[in-house]
Amino acid sequence: MHTAFFVLLAASLARYLARHADGPHTPWIIALTALLAVLYVLGPALGTRPTPRRLTWLALVVAAWAFLVVLAPSFAWCAVPLFYTGLRTLPPRAALPLVALLTALAVAAQLSLAGWPDPNLLLAPPAVAAIAATVFVVMQRQAARRDALIDDLVRTRRDLAATERREGTLAERERLAREIHDTLAQGLSSQRMLLQAADRLWDTAPGTARDHVRTAAAIAERSLAEARRFVHDLTPADLAEGGGLLQALHAVAERETTPTLTVRVHTEGTPPDPLPALVESALVRIAQGALANVREHARATTAILTLTCLDDQIVLDVTDDGQGFDPHGPTPAQATTPEGRRGHGLPAIRARLRQLGGTLTIESAPGEGTALSAAIPLEPR
């Protein structure tokens, strides 16, 4: 548009000089043409917003052009670029009257050149002005709608990203809560029970009390290893030793075995090699959580870990001969916590299985022990 303006301005001046080079208004025409060119060059530096400086500049440009048209009607062709200058600077309600004024000056100038009321000159400039104004206004509205859509999209993406971050944070907190419950919290609970027992037996059975203290120290060492593993990569310490799932389950069983509770491990079939790390970690954590519940609530003498490896799934069964409970009523953890608050053991196990597409089945009755079965599907080998 800027190039078209200067081309039309130069063509209009050339036409005037070719026909009226010796006219009395020639110096004024040349001076006004130079002034109009200089004023137009200054326009882009003032921006497009209707600031006072921009409005003053637009008024000077229109005035200079109007004087040129009065003195030399051939300069009327410069009106088309000025249409867009006014439309870009002013709001539509103010720009359209300006376009009408420029069009009227252009029509009057062309009629003065023709010397008679040519219908083509009367209708063509207004039609061109109407088309130019309509195209500009429509494009401006489309641009505004596009900008609004882009802003809405950016805002939606920002809200979605914030929601995903919140959900990720909550999921990570839940995962860490399960990890801490199955390891550090259970270890601290066992240490507390052992130290309380040692305190009660310290005077009457010092040898047994020292055994309890040594067992508590071993649990503390194991908990420290788990804490360091959290810092490293949250892999269960039993698996980090490199012996695989079966060795990790035997280590858990050996650690949970006490003078009052015997834990054994049975296997049926051979685990797939390699077994997904998430599945191995989940099975070890489930075994730890289930045996912690047996130790604290079941009052059992025997617990059995049974790992069954099938073609399409792997199943871990934890059974005990304890006091059992009603699966449809409050759990032993709820019955033993203040105000019946819900424990974290079974919910943590269910959450782990849900993440891997597995299922949890519990069979129990008061006085008949408990059987917990955790099944995790495997991808086809």
Side-chain angles (χ1 to χ4, degrees), residues 109-194:
Q110 294 300 315
L111 290 176
S112 66
L113 285 177
W116 63 285
D118 187 347
N120 194 31
L121 296 178
L122 286 172
L123 299 177
V128 172
I131 293 174
T134 301
V135 169
F136 183 87
V137 171
V138 170
M139 291 179 61
Q140 196 174 41
R141 290 177 180 176
Q142 290 179 347
R145 286 195 295 267
R146 181 196 60 196
D147 293 342
L149 289 174
I150 292 175
D151 292 340
D152 186 49
L153 177 61
V154 171
R155 183 169 56 255
T156 301
R157 292 180 61 181
R158 188 185 302 116
D159 294 341
L160 179 60
T163 301
E164 290 177 347
R165 284 195 296 270
R166 287 193 297 269
E167 291 179 353
T169 301
L170 292 176
E172 184 65 12
R173 288 177 178 176
E174 181 181 354
R175 186 175 69 90
L176 289 175
R178 292 195 302 267
E179 296 288 343
I180 293 173
H181 172 270
D182 292 342
T183 55
L184 301 181
Q186 299 293 354
L188 291 173
S189 177
S190 299
Q191 293 173 52
R192 182 190 63 182
M193 295 173 60
L194 289 169

Side-chain angles (χ1 to χ4, degrees), residues 197-279:
D199 182 63
R200 290 193 300 268
L201 299 174
W202 194 262
D203 295 328
T204 59
T208 303
R210 282 192 292 271
D211 290 338
H212 287 333
V213 172
R214 284 192 290 268
T215 304
I219 294 175
E221 182 179 359
R222 194 69 191 180
S223 298
L224 178 61
E226 291 285 359
R228 289 172 176 169
R229 182 59 54 187
F230 288 157
V231 176
H232 185 258
D233 58 2
L234 293 180
T235 301
D238 294 313
L239 287 174
E241 295 174 355
L245 176 61
L246 292 179
Q247 180 173 332
L249 291 178
H250 281 284
V252 172
E254 181 179 356
R255 187 167 60 253
E256 294 293 338
T257 297
T258 64
T260 59
L261 176 63
T262 301
V263 182
R264 297 194 297 268
V265 179
H266 291 166
T267 58
E268 296 182 6
T270 303
D273 188 19
L275 190 65
L278 290 177
V279 175

Side-chain angles (χ1 to χ4, degrees), residues 273-328:
D273 188 19
L275 190 65
L278 290 177
V279 175
E280 288 186 337
S281 177
L283 291 173
V284 173
R285 295 302 192 203
I286 290 171
Q288 291 174 335
L291 290 177
N293 285 339
V294 172
R295 181 184 66 247
E296 295 185 10
H297 309 295
R299 299 178 184 175
T301 59
T302 303
I304 300 175
L305 298 176
T306 303
L307 184 67
T308 304
C309 304
L310 304 175
D311 291 335
D312 59 345
Q313 65 178 349
I314 187 167
V315 182
L316 177 66
D317 296 318
V318 183
T319 59
D320 66 77
D321 58 357
Q323 62 181 354
F325 67 98
D326 182 5
H328 303 291

